Amino acid sequence: MASGEVQRKKRLSISVRGTVQGVGFRPFVFSCASRLGLSGFVRNDTSGVRIEVEGETEKIEEFMAELRQNPPGLAKIDELTFSEKPPAGYAVFEIVKSTKEGAGFIPVMPDAAMCEKCLAEMMDPHDRRFHYPFINCTCCGPRFSIMKDIPYDRENTSMREFAMCDECRREYESPRDRRFHAQPVACTRCGPAVFFVTGDKKLWNRHDCTKALTAGETGLEGRRKEVMVRQSAEASDREISKAGELLRKGGILAVRGLGGFHLAVNALDDNAVAKLRQRKLRQGKPFAVMTKDVDEVKKYCLINPQEEKILRSQRRPIVLLKKRNDTLGEGISEGVSPGLDTVGVMLPYTPLHHLLMKSVDFPLVMTSGNVSEEPICRENSEAVERLGKIADGFLMHNREIVNRIDDSVCFFAAEKERLIRRARGYAPAPFILKNRSKPLIACGAFYKNTFCLVRDEYAFLSQHIGDLDNDRTFEYYADQVERYRNLFKVNPVFAAKDMHPGYLSGAYADGLGVPVLAVQHHHAHIASVMAEYGAEEVLGIAYDGTGLGTDGRIWGAEFILANYRGFRRVGHLKYVPLPGAEAAVKNPFRSALGHIFPHFEDFREFVGRFEAGLVELIARQIQRRFNCPEASSMGRLFDAASSLIGIRDEASYEGQAAAEMEAAIRPDGGFYEYQVADEGVCFVVDAYPALKAAYCDFTGGIDRGIVAARFHNTVVKFTVDVAKRIRERWGVDRVALAGGCFQNRYLLEKVNQELLNEGFEVLIPSSVPVNDGGLSLGQAVIAAEYFSDKA
Ligand code: ZN
Ligand code: ZN
Ligand code: FE
């Protein structure tokens, strides 16, 4: 009898890699194994999750099927390996402590918005976490933003400073509880707390000072959180209602959230919004809005079911939605996204946000808590120092934010979600590459910078860092690189950078002391799309503002035949002078003058809008080629058109003129003339005839919305025209679209549709930002290929 039993019994040692920590994976394994009567153990290690199960063969098979088919919602299994071993005679199944063995690494969970169960508990007056602003569970709450190291255990997060109360510990230790090993578990008696202080420091007493300046900061020794522990629901409600009161009076509130501070005002209040713009030194760039639920969104915006699904997802990004135009005078303040027909909307994603939204009855502007374009504030003292002149009050808490992370931004177009800014909820989830790579880092470019660390087949694309044009952003960048290196155990032996010699990201790459590959900007754009779809060879169409070309000129409307090894430029816009170079970005009329030079006399009305002296100066600048590079930029072409048809001459952020032109579109099927020159190796598009015709339409009294539509249609038409000519000559019919201009939804959808109609296969990035935020992933895969045969 003994021998029969031994044969029927078996032991499996299983390794799971992927997003499996901090997602309720071990309790899932535990309950599954217990149900099937298996013994053994499960534990987290630095490579993922290790499981040993022992028992009857059929039961083990059932267990494996369950593991593969029904893992918890937030989990993502990338790899599952196992080996059979002789039975060890385990008596029970248990969850054992994590080990630090091995130099492995694991993906870290992005932060997840509060789940429905937690929301229900928080609103239940009989629940012990009634109105508790930091309620969370295994399925929701902070992750990456509070993580200092792996594995994901409480001691490696900023929750280590809060000692669990007995009840929380019971939940945490009980495998059948929905808070089993939820690392940030906390309650009113033992966890973080909120408090309100006014913006006027003169009114602070000593208690306020201690609260504001020491709570939840890095570098605090031991447990100095006693200032605020044991905050009753009534007490925290009081603090939040003070914040609500401030907002109702039209004040500016700084709120410490999940990944940093937000600045909030009543989104319906024109004066409050204007005051925020003025104090934050932010002129035209749109603000995002938070509404309490989807019904409230529908009051102000048009929303389709797919957009609603993205809005409600646990990633909770900001979704760009079309404004309703039937809410005149009652809608969201025009100052929120001036000149645009869209507004970025998000739903509350932390319990604190839910409670704050409940304390007011209007939507809130929720914009990054920073000055101008600096990184978002993370610490309380930092916020007081940097936001003190902006905010009238602060709603703070004492849970340290380890990794600052902005809100993600996306829009829905051509049947899919399209990321514009990849941050909270998405980063640092890795992309899986087709091939394993040596460890390397890609440093990005300049605008909307991100970096990307690669190890094996994992590419860790960082969260949005920002434009690398100030010291604070660069510090944030360098600091995050270090954190990622540590968190994912990557020690790069190679690096990649943009070809442009003037970028800080390039200098950073050069300073690493490893071989560096300079990657052409638009090649990287296209490679990022190839990486997302695992494509090997494409016709890439990259439309953006500016990127340095291999001929030393500025590129930005490029047709390239690309693989990971290299590319061949087979089409582009005709070069035109760009007077003032970077100065043209903020001055679309300069682009216009560059495009129409030397035919100023044909554009009298336009040229006459500017001071004669200035026009003459720019003309001379163009003639003498002084600070006047040649550019083939789609972004600048749109700028020129926008200025010529009277939409915008000066921009307060990159792409504003083009965005407003898109917003102005009124449906029309017309288009203008253009020319394509066949230069043998390259097709060159001359858009001058289109600019001139658009201008004539406009001065001839045709509505600028119609003119805007016709101009867009022209760009669509020559894009498809050139793609067809390239297909004829080179036989490629798979197209990848990339570059910031494809944030233009009209352009993206039309180009996509027309290419599909012509029988092309079209790849459009979805989870990689289409703009420069995706560039580092492209650099990374190009570098991985380049260095693959180097020592
Ligand atoms: Zn939850
Ligand atoms: Zn507790
Ligand atoms: Fe770009």
Side-chain angles (χ1 to χ4, degrees):
M1 141 210 150
S3 69
E5 219 169 63
V6 168
Q7 267 170 16
R8 281 214 336 269
K9 271 207 163 190
K10 100 181 188 186
R11 171 161 72 120
L12 274 195
S13 174
I14 307 161
S15 254
V16 191
R17 287 180 76 184
T19 309
V20 288
Q21 293 190 8
V23 293
F25 200 80
R26 288 173 304 167
F28 154 73
V29 169
F30 175 86
S31 73
C32 198
S34 316
R35 186 161 40 79
L36 294 166
L38 301 170
S39 57
F41 67 85
V42 55
R43 71 163 186 245
N44 283 345
D45 63 20
T46 49
S47 316
V49 166
R50 255 291 301 286
I51 307 167
E52 293 223 339
V53 278
E54 187 170 314
E56 285 174 36
T57 307
E58 310 89 81
K59 297 289 180 197
I60 287 188
E61 269 156 23
E62 231 177 284
F63 174 81
M64 291 300 281
E66 190 71 359
L67 204 57
R68 288 199 176 96
Q69 287 154 20
N70 297 314
L74 292 175
K76 193 176 155 287
I77 297 178
D78 295 330
E79 189 183 73
L80 199 151
T81 52
F82 56 90
S83 59
E84 203 177 322
K85 290 181 176 174
Y90 293 121
V92 291
F93 194 92
E94 46 185 356
I95 296 175
V96 300
K97 228 175 137 46
S98 311
T99 57
K100 270 220 159 194
E101 75 188 31
F105 67 103
I106 45 135
V108 167
M109 257 299 286
D111 302 290
M114 177 158 75
C115 71
E116 292 298 322
K117 280 184 185 162
C118 285
L119 178 60
E121 277 184 19
M122 187 176 79
M123 293 311 176
D124 175 3
H126 305 294
D127 193 276
R128 70 190 194 86
R129 290 190 180 86
F130 177 62
H131 278 198
Y132 182 53
F134 300 93
I135 183 171
N136 64 79
C137 73
T138 321
C139 296
C140 77
R143 296 289 186 275
F144 174 61
S145 63
I146 58 167
M147 275 184 78
K148 296 178 177 178
D149 200 357
I150 57 168
Y152 176 62
D153 278 336
R154 192 162 171 118
E155 307 96 79
N156 287 331
T157 72
S158 53
M159 284 303 293
R160 70 171 293 184
E161 292 176 59
F162 298 91
M164 274 181 243
C165 71
D166 291 343
E167 260 176 289
C168 284
R169 180 159 294 283
R170 240 192 320 277
E171 295 169 334
Y172 180 85
E173 286 174 354
S174 148
R176 295 184 199 285
D177 194 277
R178 66 182 201 89
R179 294 201 167 82
F180 175 72
H181 279 232
Q183 305 304 342
V185 69
C187 74
T188 47
R189 275 188 292 160
C190 67
V194 283
F195 59 94
F196 175 86
V197 290
T198 67
D200 187 350
K201 279 190 270 181
K202 277 177 270 170
L203 299 178
W204 289 8
N205 55 38
R206 263 186 59 201
H207 187 57
D208 284 337
C209 285
T210 331
K211 281 199 300 193
L213 297 174
T214 64
E217 304 291 72
T218 34
L220 275 191
E221 292 303 314
R223 309 197 185 281
R224 283 177 52 190
K225 300 291 170 68
E226 71 281 357
V227 195
M228 256 134 353
V229 290
R230 291 172 186 272
Q231 183 178 48
S232 65
E234 297 74 40
S236 87
D237 280 353
R238 249 192 327 270
E239 301 295 308
I240 295 170
S241 70
K242 283 184 221 164
E245 183 60 30
L246 174 77
L247 289 166
R248 267 193 300 278
K249 284 186 184 148
I252 300 175
L253 177 73
V255 196
R256 193 184 205 192
L258 193 64
F261 273 82
H262 278 121
L263 288 164
V265 295
N266 179 351
L268 307 181
D269 181 342
D270 292 336
N271 292 331
V273 174
K275 185 165 73 178
L276 178 59
R277 285 211 174 272
Q278 193 189 9
R279 291 198 199 160
K280 196 174 141 83
L281 306 176
R282 175 143 149 170
Q283 284 177 9
K285 211 170 176 183
F287 288 142
V289 168
M290 184 178 276
T291 61
K292 68 174 187 293
D293 53 31
V294 173
D295 285 343
E296 196 176 31
V297 177
K298 288 176 179 166
K299 278 200 228 162
Y300 308 107
C301 298
L302 301 171
I303 179 168
N304 66 35
Q306 296 98 322
E307 288 167 334
E308 182 170 337
K309 197 171 159 216
I310 300 166
L311 202 63
R312 285 178 186 277
S313 75
Q314 269 198 293
R315 295 168 147 180
R316 290 280 151 110
I318 294 167
V319 185
L320 301 184
L321 298 174
K322 279 241 188 293
K323 294 179 194 169
R324 279 174 67 152
N325 48 19
D326 54 356
T327 55
L328 286 174
E330 319 243 305
I332 301 224
S333 166
E334 174 58 22
V336 169
S337 57
L340 303 182
D341 61 342
T342 56
V343 60
V345 180
M346 62 181 151
L347 296 176
Y349 52 88
T350 68
L352 180 56
H353 291 146
H354 278 278
L355 294 169
L356 181 64
M357 293 309 298
K358 247 177 72 76
S359 78
V360 295
D361 53 359
F362 40 79
L364 295 178
V365 162
M366 282 285 233
T367 184
S368 307
N370 55 13
V371 184
S372 197
E373 296 299 310
E374 292 181 346
I376 187 167
C377 284
R378 180 169 66 100
E379 297 182 350
N380 290 340
S381 55
E382 183 190 9
V384 168
E385 182 199 317
R386 285 168 56 201
L387 307 179
K389 288 205 167 65
I390 303 177
D392 301 309
F394 294 84
L395 186 59
M396 296 176 166
H397 63 71
N398 60 336
R399 185 179 67 204
E400 186 200 339
I401 296 168
V402 178
N403 297 297
R404 71 181 94 211
I405 187 159
D406 291 89
D407 295 316
S408 294
V409 184
C410 71
F411 65 109
F412 183 84
E415 303 303 318
K416 270 192 187 173
E417 175 179 19
R418 310 289 169 190
L419 274 182
I420 291 177
R421 185 161 80 194
R422 186 178 174 275
R424 177 185 49 74
Y426 297 81
F431 289 86
I432 311 290
L433 306 179
K434 273 178 106 175
N435 301 310
R436 290 171 79 89
S437 163
K438 289 165 188 161
L440 59 86
I441 178 170
C443 294
F446 175 78
Y447 284 114
K448 304 179 170 67
N449 203 268
T450 60
F451 59 86
C452 182
L453 281 165
V454 179
R455 183 180 158 169
D456 300 341
E457 67 273 45
Y458 285 87
F460 296 97
L461 178 60
S462 78
Q463 73 268 32
H464 164 84
I465 304 287
D467 300 348
L468 284 187
D469 59 357
N470 62 73
D471 291 348
R472 277 191 206 270
T473 308
F474 186 65
E475 260 170 50
Y476 172 34
Y477 174 84
D479 176 63
Q480 280 299 306
V481 172
E482 283 310 309
R483 284 177 189 277
Y484 269 63
R485 285 178 65 155
N486 176 46
L487 218 45
F488 301 113
K489 315 292 175 212
V490 190
N491 191 21
V493 294
F494 297 112
K497 64 172 183 180
D498 192 271
M499 277 177 54
H500 196 291
Y503 294 164
L504 281 174
S505 56
Y508 185 82
D510 292 335
L512 291 169
V514 298
V516 181
L517 178 71
V519 179
Q520 200 281 322
H521 191 93
H522 304 92
H523 185 205
H525 266 307
I526 297 305
S528 73
V529 190
M530 291 164 62
E532 178 171 353
Y533 290 100
E536 293 290 338
E537 216 151 58
V538 297
L539 163 59
I541 304 179
Y543 285 171
D544 68 355
T546 49
L548 187 61
T550 50
D551 59 0
R553 293 191 258 196
I554 292 174
W555 293 8
E558 310 305 314
F559 294 75
I560 61 173
L561 296 175
N563 59 24
Y564 297 113
R565 288 247 147 216
F567 70 96
R568 175 173 177 174
R569 191 187 196 201
V570 290
H572 60 87
L573 270 179
K574 189 181 150 186
Y575 286 117
V576 295
L578 191 59
E582 279 302 296
V585 172
K586 293 280 173 81
N587 296 283
F589 77 93
R590 283 177 169 268
S591 284
L593 290 170
H595 275 87
I596 64 173
F597 183 84
H599 312 292
F600 286 2
E601 73 285 354
D602 294 340
F603 295 83
R604 272 218 184 96
E605 211 171 302
F606 169 74
V607 175
R609 285 218 304 268
F610 309 97
E611 238 177 85
L614 179 65
V615 173
E616 212 169 291
L617 197 81
I618 293 173
R620 235 177 316 159
Q621 191 175 21
I622 296 171
Q623 271 161 342
R624 296 186 188 157
R625 294 293 144 136
F626 172 71
N627 189 21
C628 183
E630 289 192 297
S632 59
S633 162
M634 183 59 71
R636 298 300 85 82
L637 176 63
F638 270 108
D639 281 355
S642 180
S643 178
L644 283 169
I645 65 172
I647 290 177
R648 180 158 289 278
D649 295 328
E650 286 171 25
S652 63
Y653 59 93
E654 204 213 2
Q656 183 178 18
E660 291 182 4
M661 187 156 105
E662 181 195 358
I665 288 177
R666 291 183 52 197
D668 186 84
F671 58 90
Y672 302 119
E673 295 281 298
Y674 58 87
Q675 272 153 13
V676 180
D678 180 356
E679 297 188 351
V681 287
C682 222
F683 294 103
V684 179
V685 180
D686 186 353
Y688 176 76
L691 284 176
K692 191 166 174 198
Y695 176 72
C696 290
D697 266 4
F698 170 64
T699 50
I702 293 180
D703 181 274
R704 69 174 70 153
I706 304 279
V707 181
R710 290 177 182 171
F711 189 81
H712 276 78
N713 297 343
T714 311
V715 175
V716 174
K717 202 163 160 54
F718 71 64
T719 303
V720 178
D721 182 352
V722 173
K724 280 165 69 182
R725 290 173 195 236
I726 290 168
R727 176 168 64 183
E728 229 162 81
R729 187 166 298 168
W730 284 282
V732 48
D733 57 8
R734 180 185 251 193
V735 172
L737 306 178
C741 295
F742 286 113
Q743 289 167 199
N744 180 323
R745 185 170 167 173
Y746 185 90
L747 183 69
L748 179 70
E749 291 193 321
K750 288 258 179 192
V751 166
N752 176 53
Q753 195 51 54
E754 294 299 315
L755 285 171
L756 291 174
N757 291 349
E758 292 294 338
F760 286 95
E761 183 191 349
V762 188
L763 307 179
I764 308 171
S766 171
S767 48
V768 181
V770 72
N771 54 42
D772 284 9
L775 216 60
S776 61
L777 177 66
Q779 293 173 345
V781 288
I782 291 168
E785 177 73 25
Y786 179 82
F787 289 116
S788 62
D789 50 10
K790 315 257 183 316

